[in-house]
Amino acid sequence: MGLFRNGFSLFVVVCSMAVVASGSFYQDFDLTWGDRRAKIFNGGQLLSLSLDKVSGSGFQSKKEYLFGRIDMQLKLVAGNSAGTVTAYYLSSQGATHDEIDFEFLGNLSGDPYILHTNVFTQGKGNREQQFYLWFDPTRNFHTYSIIWKPQHIIFLVDNIPIRVFKNAESIGVPFPKSQPMRIYSSLWNADDWATRGGLVKTDWTKAPFTAYYRNFKASACTWSYGASSCGSNSSSAFSDGAWKTSELDAPGRRRLRWVQKYFMIYNYCTDLKRFPQGPPPECK
């Protein structure tokens, strides 16, 4: 438990480890927009989002988290998904929000999806890395994970690390470590930019476009305001030590190098046209 001052208010923060495994989407998430285009079925074990010409859809977690590991299995929009974006991310609120992004950019049938990642700190992003996947993400479910620790953020696909964003506060780079975040996901039309920079538009004759979710798991610190407990899923007290043994091991580092060598297609750190004065400090 800790005390944080925010303006004239004093918040009492209760933080505990919560492990949610094979939970119910009814229990863990709210369908937030899209009317009936967002659905929970199979007894709460499966969730779908759909997009048509009228609207997309989305959901968000009931709880807020501050550090931990978030896993979700997704099966993306099949066929001609050009112009669509399936976003799955952690975010706080407000102009100076923090955010950790997976975005799946659709493409024409037979062309690969682009996995777009970004990290926002204090409202500022512009830290994009993009990847092709080494499988077809529309044929089966695959696991997309975020490990968020005070030391770093790791993006993983089927438990293979694809990106590490390290805490570089020591050289003046803000790091998301004080704002609790909810989990969000949405399926929406972005044909002004998503596919080949907006050259390929959404083919509405293929609508509705649908993405599926299952097997949500959070091993994370949940955040509560006031003196209430963190909820029935709390299993142990938050401990600083638990987060310090989280560096990638040698096989993890090799897999990270493999992904970045063969599947990374954009890295903001090497975009000299965008940063003619040199890359941002965290890249050095």
Side-chain angles (χ1 to χ4, degrees):
M1 181 181 294
L3 298 178
F4 290 80
R5 291 194 177 275
N6 184 349
F8 299 102
S9 302
L10 182 67
F11 293 101
V12 180
V13 178
V14 181
C15 192
S16 293
M17 282 298 294
V19 179
V20 180
S22 301
S24 164
F25 280 109
Y26 289 118
Q27 176 183 336
D28 298 321
F29 292 92
D30 291 319
L31 306 179
T32 48
W33 64 285
D35 295 326
R36 296 181 181 179
R37 295 172 184 83
K39 299 176 182 177
I40 298 173
F41 48 102
N42 280 17
Q45 299 304 301
L46 197 63
L47 186 152
S48 67
L49 295 181
S50 290
L51 163 70
D52 58 32
K53 200 167 186 178
V54 175
S55 177
S57 51
F59 64 88
Q60 70 180 46
S61 63
K62 294 179 185 291
K63 293 182 178 179
E64 295 178 289
Y65 301 93
L66 185 68
F67 304 130
R69 176 171 178 145
I70 306 295
D71 300 283
M72 184 83 81
Q73 290 192 331
L74 281 76
K75 185 164 70 169
L76 299 179
V77 174
N80 182 358
S81 58
T84 71
V85 172
T86 306
Y88 158 58
Y89 59 102
L90 290 167
S91 183
S92 59
Q93 296 297 306
T96 58
H97 75 290
D98 296 333
E99 189 172 320
I100 304 169
D101 284 347
F102 278 112
E103 289 187 318
F104 302 91
L105 312 184
N107 218 326
L108 295 169
S109 298
D111 289 342
Y113 264 82
I114 292 174
L115 172 52
H116 176 99
T117 66
N118 204 350
V119 176
F120 286 74
T121 58
Q122 298 179 9
K124 181 179 180 294
N126 300 323
R127 300 183 178 98
E128 301 92 345
Q129 290 184 359
Q130 294 183 337
F131 306 85
Y132 287 140
L133 295 167
W134 48 95
F135 53 82
D136 181 350
T138 72
R139 290 180 63 86
N140 297 296
F141 284 91
H142 292 268
T143 304
Y144 302 91
S145 308
I146 293 166
I147 297 176
W148 174 28
K149 311 261 186 189
Q151 298 84 9
H152 57 224
I153 296 161
I154 305 175
F155 297 78
L156 304 101
V157 176
D158 289 338
N159 214 36
I160 295 174
I162 66 168
R163 177 178 184 178
V164 177
F165 182 80
K166 294 185 177 180
N167 185 329
E169 289 178 303
S170 61
I171 57 172
V173 179
F175 186 83
K177 68 175 190 179
S178 60
Q179 298 186 52
M181 298 197 242
R182 293 187 193 275
I183 304 162
Y184 296 86
S185 191
S186 58
L187 175 56
W188 49 291
N189 178 46
D191 65 4
D192 56 335
W193 66 271
T195 305
R196 294 183 58 197
L199 294 177
V200 182
K201 301 299 183 183
T202 303
D203 182 356
W204 293 111
T205 67
K206 301 293 192 289
F209 305 96
T210 304
Y212 296 91
Y213 302 75
R214 72 179 188 188
N215 290 352
F216 163 67
K217 181 180 178 181
S219 179
C221 180
T222 59
W223 180 278
S224 298
Y225 298 97
S228 61
S229 70
C230 283
S232 60
N233 288 313
S234 299
S235 60
S236 62
F238 178 82
S239 167
D240 254 331
W243 306 99
K244 294 180 179 176
T245 57
S246 59
E247 294 296 327
L248 290 177
D249 58 13
R253 292 193 297 271
R254 285 196 297 270
R255 288 191 289 265
L256 177 66
R257 289 194 295 269
W258 173 74
V259 171
Q260 296 195 338
K261 180 177 180 179
Y262 293 107
F263 297 99
M264 179 184 282
I265 59 172
Y266 177 79
N267 182 1
Y268 77 108
C269 286
T270 60
D271 191 341
L272 298 181
K273 290 184 178 179
R274 186 175 176 188
F275 301 106
Q277 305 304 315
E282 69 269 18
C283 297
K284 297 174 183 175

